[in-house]
């Protein structure tokens, strides 16, 4: 079960970090799940963990440039959310999207090559860490501007409705996004026009360096849709099965009822905001808590599977070896892929030609003779 905020209910009680940390949803019974599905969830979570660790290493080795944000600590949320989507459903994310790209169907090779800025990357090497994009798998970004994806995702949901389709749009964001203007404008339109979209707030308790309680007058973020009569739920983002089931319910309701929903999934950010952020704004107690094994979604799920007899030592090693090889292959593929030619710098800026588009290179004169 997940906490629910009905459109006209909600109450006024303010949440506290401690109350959310201690909250646990009722997790589905493993006995009702197939071993194949459980092991698949575990393998994909481990793949994201090892992929992001390799990404962090490559960044410190200057193989990756620009900004870089990792999904470390959010593996259960990523797999749970994407497991609830059909292949035809659309996903918009923020800049912390490597795991989502892989989980939505992009190859680890293509994602790593994009991080390395190579032509074999999913955005042909010009997007980098924050701008993964692939129409085939229907992950439509990857956005570097906080909240930039909300109006676009809402517009995609309008397009689905306009065309009479049955796809659902999922729009993922961080907790800090709930305080910007695009949040209010997008949720208002989505509710007013009955759009099939699920807004997902990944709450890691800290928007960059500011706690949720210091930034939001309503820190129970799943209630933030009440002003727009959007029903909201909160789920433990460390529990992959709870996330999957709660998300599936909302996605299918959005599909059948043709209206928006809001989901808050809370988990811990194991590292700083980005790869280069030492997170000195955290106390030692907060840092230890974020890295505590009891809050590590991969360790939590592995322990559950071991206790249920689903994950044996041999299977665990087999999966670990397989994942290690896949990540190493992705890194080798990226390393040996070509850089894009400078002449292609503006090739993918717009989908169609735009009048008076500037294509001036840094060394070019401001005014042509």
């Amino acid at each position: 079960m997940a906490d629910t905020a009905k459109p006209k209910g909600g109450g006024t009680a303010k949440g506290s970090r401690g109350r959310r940390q201690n909250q646990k949803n009722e997790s589905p019974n493993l006995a009702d799940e197939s071993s194949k599905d459980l092991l698949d969830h575990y393998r994909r979570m481990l793949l994201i963990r090892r992929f992001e660790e390799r990404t962090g290493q490559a960044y410190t080795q200057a193989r990756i440039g620009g900004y870089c944000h990792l999904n470390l600590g959010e593996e259960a949320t990523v797999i749970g959310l994407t497991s609830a989507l059909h292949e035809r459903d659309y996903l918009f994310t923020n800049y912390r999207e490597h795991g989502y790209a892989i989980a939505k169907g992009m190859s680890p090779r293509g994602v790593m090559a994009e991080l390395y800025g190579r032509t074999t990357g999913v955005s042909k090497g010009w997007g980098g860490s924050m701008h993964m994009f692939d129409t085939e798998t229907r992950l439509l970004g990857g956005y570097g501007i906080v909240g930039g994806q909300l109006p676009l995702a809402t517009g995609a949901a309008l397009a689905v409705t306009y065309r009479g389709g049955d796809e659902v749009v999922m729009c993922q964001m961080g907790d800090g996004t709930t305080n910007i203007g695009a949040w209010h404008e997008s949720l208002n339109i989505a509710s007013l026009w009955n759009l099939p979209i699920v807004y997902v707030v990944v709450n890691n308790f800290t928007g960059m360096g500011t706690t949720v309680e210091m930034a939001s007058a309503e820190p129970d973020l799943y209630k933030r849709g009440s002003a727009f009569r959007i029903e909201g739920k909160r789920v433990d983002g460390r529990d992959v099965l709870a996330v999957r089931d709660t998300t599936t319910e909302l996605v299918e309701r959005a599909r059948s009822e043709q209206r928006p929903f809001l989901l808050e999934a809370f988990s811990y950010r194991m590292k700083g905001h980005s790869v280069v952020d030492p997170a000195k704004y955290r106390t030692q107690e907060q840092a230890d808590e974020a890295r505590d094994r009891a809050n590590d979604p991969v360790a939590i799920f592995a322990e559950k599977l071991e206790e249920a007899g689903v994950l044996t030592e041999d299977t665990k090693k087999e999966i670990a070896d397989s994942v290690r090889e896949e990540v190493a292959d992705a890194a080798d593929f990226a390393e040996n892929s070509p850089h894009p030619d400078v002449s292609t710098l503006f090739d993918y800026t717009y989908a169609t030609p735009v009048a008076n588009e500037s294509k001036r290179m840094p060394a070019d004169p401001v005014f042509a003779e």
Side-chain angles (χ1 to χ4, degrees):
M1 298 289 289
D3 279 1
T4 302
K6 296 290 185 182
K8 292 185 178 180
T12 58
K14 290 191 175 183
S16 69
R17 175 176 175 143
R19 184 154 63 86
R20 285 203 295 276
Q21 289 167 347
N22 295 327
Q23 176 188 332
K24 290 185 178 180
N25 300 117
E26 183 179 329
S27 185
N29 190 338
L30 293 187
D32 298 330
E33 306 280 337
S34 78
S35 297
K36 180 182 178 182
D37 288 344
L38 292 172
L39 291 176
D40 179 64
H41 287 331
Y42 172 71
R43 187 189 187 283
R44 292 195 293 150
M45 288 171 62
L46 189 64
L47 174 60
I48 293 172
R49 172 66 57 86
R50 296 293 176 255
F51 185 94
E52 290 293 61
E53 290 172 344
R54 184 67 181 84
T55 297
Q57 178 187 342
Y59 193 91
T60 59
Q61 294 171 335
R63 314 309 297 168
I64 298 173
Y67 291 101
C68 189
H69 310 79
L70 307 177
N71 288 122
L72 294 174
E74 297 179 355
E75 295 86 353
T77 300
V78 173
I79 297 303
L81 291 175
T82 52
S83 295
L85 295 175
H86 296 182
E87 286 188 9
R88 64 183 184 278
D89 293 332
Y90 296 92
L91 175 61
F92 289 72
T93 77
N94 61 1
Y95 41 79
R96 198 183 302 279
E97 92 267 39
H98 311 160
Y100 291 94
I102 294 172
K104 194 66 173 72
M106 294 187 198
S107 73
R109 278 186 164 193
V111 175
M112 188 66 85
E114 188 58 43
L115 294 171
Y116 275 58
R118 307 303 173 99
T119 57
T120 53
V122 295
S123 298
K124 304 185 185 305
W126 288 122
S129 171
M130 300 193 290
H131 301 100
M132 305 284 173
F133 192 96
D134 183 28
T135 54
E136 184 174 342
T137 58
R138 300 200 167 187
L139 189 147
L140 303 188
Y143 293 87
I145 302 299
V146 173
Q149 73 275 28
L150 269 72
L152 300 177
T154 305
L158 173 61
V160 169
T161 302
Y162 193 74
R163 294 173 176 175
D166 75 338
E167 303 97 328
V168 170
V169 176
M170 176 179 286
C171 181
Q172 175 266 10
M173 70 200 82
D175 43 71
T177 305
T178 60
N179 296 318
I180 70 170
W183 160 271
H184 301 281
E185 296 169 8
S186 299
L187 269 68
N188 182 62
I189 286 292
S191 183
L192 193 64
W193 291 349
N194 300 314
L195 302 182
I197 182 169
V198 178
Y199 297 99
V200 179
V201 179
V202 178
N203 181 2
N204 56 32
F205 313 117
T206 310
M208 179 63 199
T210 305
T211 65
V212 171
E213 284 73 19
M214 289 288 290
S216 177
E218 174 50 275
D220 286 342
L221 302 181
Y222 69 110
K223 297 178 181 175
R224 295 290 300 273
S226 297
F228 312 102
R229 299 188 174 183
I230 294 178
E231 182 178 336
K233 287 196 172 187
R234 172 190 285 159
V235 68
D236 184 345
R238 300 165 297 183
D239 187 332
V240 62
L241 300 182
V243 174
R244 180 203 61 187
D245 287 359
T246 303
T247 309
T248 297
E249 177 194 341
L250 297 186
V251 166
E252 294 312 315
R253 287 185 64 189
R255 196 186 314 279
S256 62
E257 299 174 21
Q258 290 291 293
R259 63 187 179 99
F261 290 91
L262 170 62
L263 176 65
E264 174 191 357
F266 63 90
S267 59
Y268 287 82
R269 196 179 70 199
M270 300 177 75
K271 298 282 189 178
H273 178 70
S274 68
V275 174
V276 297
D277 174 20
K280 291 183 177 179
Y281 42 80
R282 280 177 169 170
T283 66
Q284 188 59 48
E285 181 183 7
Q286 291 172 333
D288 292 342
E289 189 175 344
R291 296 168 185 165
D292 194 309
R293 186 176 176 81
N295 291 317
D296 180 340
V298 177
I300 292 171
F301 196 46
E303 187 174 335
K304 285 183 178 179
L305 296 183
E306 288 170 340
E307 290 176 353
V310 174
L311 184 64
T312 65
E313 281 301 317
D314 288 344
T315 304
K316 192 174 183 179
K317 182 179 184 306
E318 182 181 328
I319 291 175
D321 290 345
S322 169
V323 166
R324 188 180 304 110
E325 289 177 8
E326 187 169 1
V327 173
D329 173 73
D332 289 343
F333 175 78
E335 183 68 38
N336 293 303
S337 293
H339 290 278
D341 191 274
V342 174
S343 64
T344 67
L345 178 60
F346 298 102
D347 284 2
Y348 309 105
T349 307
Y350 297 102
T352 55
V354 174
N356 301 318
E357 177 191 0
S358 174
K359 295 187 177 182
R360 186 173 68 85
M361 295 292 187
D364 290 344
V366 176
F367 300 103
E369 295 181 359

